[in-house]
Amino acid sequence: MRAVLLGPPGAGKGTQAARLSVRLGVPAISTGDIFRVNVKGGTALGLTAREFMDAGHLVPDEVTNAMVRDRLAQDDAAEGFLLDGYPRNPEQAVELDSMLAELGSGLDVAIEITANFDVVTDRLLKRAQVEGRADDTEPVIRKRLDVYANSTAPLTAFYAGRGLLVQVDGLGGIDEVTDRLVAAVAA
Ligand code: ADP
């Protein structure tokens, strides 16, 4: 199963990707997590990514695409993967297609977790109090939602046009949403 997970910040992509990865037996690959590990470790990649992340902007495509290309070439992704947080704009989506074509494969499904912006803003502000992520402040949350609406949301039409899109309501309990996702992917 080769899948991408779409949905606004705070829709629960990270939580659900971890669960779905267990159910599907494929690795969950989160570009945001990879960037955060690099920021923490003070790597060159982390130093580049940090300023963009802290402002709620996308990290430049050439940086992100190269990172994903390396990750997808690893053995554990050969039989499938669940991408969380990539692609995030049409250019990345085109790049992903060509990476997969080079590997002799293609996407099976694009799953959109839907949630309205008021709900996700509340969730992110609450998460800020627990986790203290640098980009969970109100102005940066607003910026991330803007970026989602302008750059990432158009991907749903892109994948729908290819018959790959499934939409899952992200409101409700964590288990409930996982069950919906499993059912949607199986269908
Ligand atoms: P969220 O979905 O809650 O905004 P993520 O952990 O997915 O959180 O992403 C955090 C930040 O990491 C993004 O705001 C962006 O700066 C960077 N990032 C993650 N994925 C990408 C990507 N595909 N392209 C560019 N930047 C990315």
Side-chain angles (χ1 to χ4, degrees), residues 8-10 13 30-33 35-36 52-53 56-59 61 64 84-88 92 124 127 133 135 144:
K13 291 191 301 297
S30 158
T31 45
D33 283 351
F35 283 134
R36 277 186 289 279
F52 296 99
M53 297 174 75
H57 294 286
L58 295 184
V59 176
D61 284 349
T64 308
D84 159 20
Y86 184 92
R88 250 175 156 98
Q92 292 182 5
L124 291 170
R127 180 173 82 185
R133 242 174 73 168
D135 58 351
R144 283 156 61 209

Side-chain angles (χ1 to χ4, degrees), residues 144-175:
R144 283 156 61 209
L145 288 170
D146 262 12
V147 170
Y148 187 80
N150 292 316
S151 301
T152 313
L155 294 181
T156 58
F158 174 81
Y159 288 121
R162 288 164 50 181
L164 292 178
L165 185 71
V166 300
Q167 290 174 304
V168 170
D169 183 0
L171 289 192
I174 291 176
D175 288 334

Side-chain angles (χ1 to χ4, degrees), residues 112-115 167-172 176-177 180:
E112 181 192 8
I113 303 184
T114 60
Q167 290 174 304
V168 170
D169 183 0
L171 289 192
E176 200 181 336
V177 176
R180 279 183 210 144

